[in-house]
Amino acid sequence: SILLDMVKVVMLLIVLAVLTLGVIWITEKSPPPEPMDDLLVYNSVSFPHPETLGLTSSLASDSSNWKQYRDENMGFKIRYPEGVAVKKTISGDIVFEKESLHLEISHEKLLGKDTVNTIAEQDVNQKMMKMGEMFKLLDTISPVSIGSITGVTYTSKENSQEITYFYVPLDMDYLLLSNSTDTSNGALISTSDDIIYSLELF
């Protein structure tokens, strides 16, 4: 009977050992929790996806309050929020203004084999020669997409004022958008960007 009890104890210990080893084996074989899962949750809370360029403020959230300016001669329409004044100068340029927000749109001619890119390069070179140290190129000439239109843009500092230019091609001409909004006012810069990127040709 003692022998039988010892056999039972040994058998029980063997069963427990097998079960323990089985549990350890299953634990090691199961894949570790994906670290990316935690990272994705963390990122979705802390780092939201960047907003589409040109849809940074009111236009993205509520476009129903935005007015539309349509220019049949230049062949474009553009949207702007309440409080922004729109006027046409004697030379035919369109000006959008509100406090230190200042955006101008002019209609320019393309001559010969010029493109918006070569025109932008010529403008930069002329300003460098004319203004000397009072002109500084902050962002070099680069492609820009405004809706389905691809043009070029650059930013310069002229007489201590920062201006961003957009050259938007038309059939044989181009639109020149000059944004000289005060860069220290983030809300107005955001609004001016929204106005620019609402531009549509027709």
Side-chain angles (χ1 to χ4, degrees):
S1 126
I2 293 174
L3 186 60
L4 188 61
D5 287 343
M6 285 183 66
V7 169
K8 283 181 181 177
V9 168
V10 169
M11 289 295 289
L12 186 62
L13 288 172
I14 290 170
V15 169
L16 285 173
V18 168
L19 285 172
T20 304
L21 287 171
V23 168
I24 291 169
W25 184 79
I26 288 168
T27 304
E28 286 182 353
K29 285 292 179 186
S30 63
E34 279 289 332
M36 282 302 291
D37 290 347
D38 295 337
L39 187 63
L40 287 171
V41 170
Y42 174 75
N43 280 345
S44 68
V45 172
S46 306
F47 303 102
H49 291 295
E51 293 173 297
T52 306
L53 187 61
L55 295 176
T56 52
S57 61
S58 336
L59 184 58
S61 57
D62 184 13
S63 60
S64 60
N65 294 330
W66 282 53
K67 299 177 181 180
Q68 185 182 85
Y69 176 84
R70 185 180 177 95
D71 196 295
E72 298 295 337
N73 293 328
M74 295 193 199
F76 76 88
K77 56 185 178 179
I78 196 165
R79 296 158 78 188
Y80 62 97
E82 192 72 43
V84 173
V86 183
K87 58 185 178 184
K88 199 163 194 170
T89 66
I90 296 169
S91 60
D93 297 350
I94 312 303
V95 179
F96 295 83
E97 284 182 317
K98 177 188 178 181
E99 299 165 18
S100 58
L101 181 154
H102 188 87
L103 174 65
E104 278 186 47
I105 304 175
S106 62
H107 183 224
E108 308 292 339
K109 293 283 183 189
L110 280 176
L111 302 173
K113 295 181 179 178
D114 280 333
T115 64
V116 288
N117 200 72
T118 60
I119 291 290
E121 288 170 2
Q122 289 169 23
D123 286 353
V124 167
N125 291 334
Q126 284 174 8
K127 286 173 183 175
M128 281 180 172
M129 289 174 64
K130 193 174 180 180
M131 301 174 71
E133 292 181 358
M134 298 307 292
F135 178 86
K136 185 179 180 184
L137 193 61
L138 301 178
D139 290 324
T140 56
I141 298 168
S142 58
V144 63
S145 291
I146 300 176
S148 59
I149 318 155
T150 301
V152 294
T153 183
Y154 70 87
T155 301
S156 59
K157 200 164 193 175
E158 302 171 22
N159 298 315
S160 302
Q161 185 179 32
E162 194 170 311
I163 307 173
T164 301
Y165 296 94
F166 298 83
Y167 295 71
V168 179
L170 298 172
D171 289 337
M172 298 301 292
D173 306 325
Y174 66 96
L175 295 177
L176 175 59
L177 288 75
S178 310
N179 187 5
S180 54
T181 301
D182 181 5
T183 54
S184 67
N185 191 322
L188 289 181
I189 279 287
S190 181
T191 301
S192 67
D193 280 346
D194 285 348
I195 294 169
I196 291 165
Y197 285 92
S198 73
L199 178 78
E200 290 179 55
L201 303 182
F202 56 81

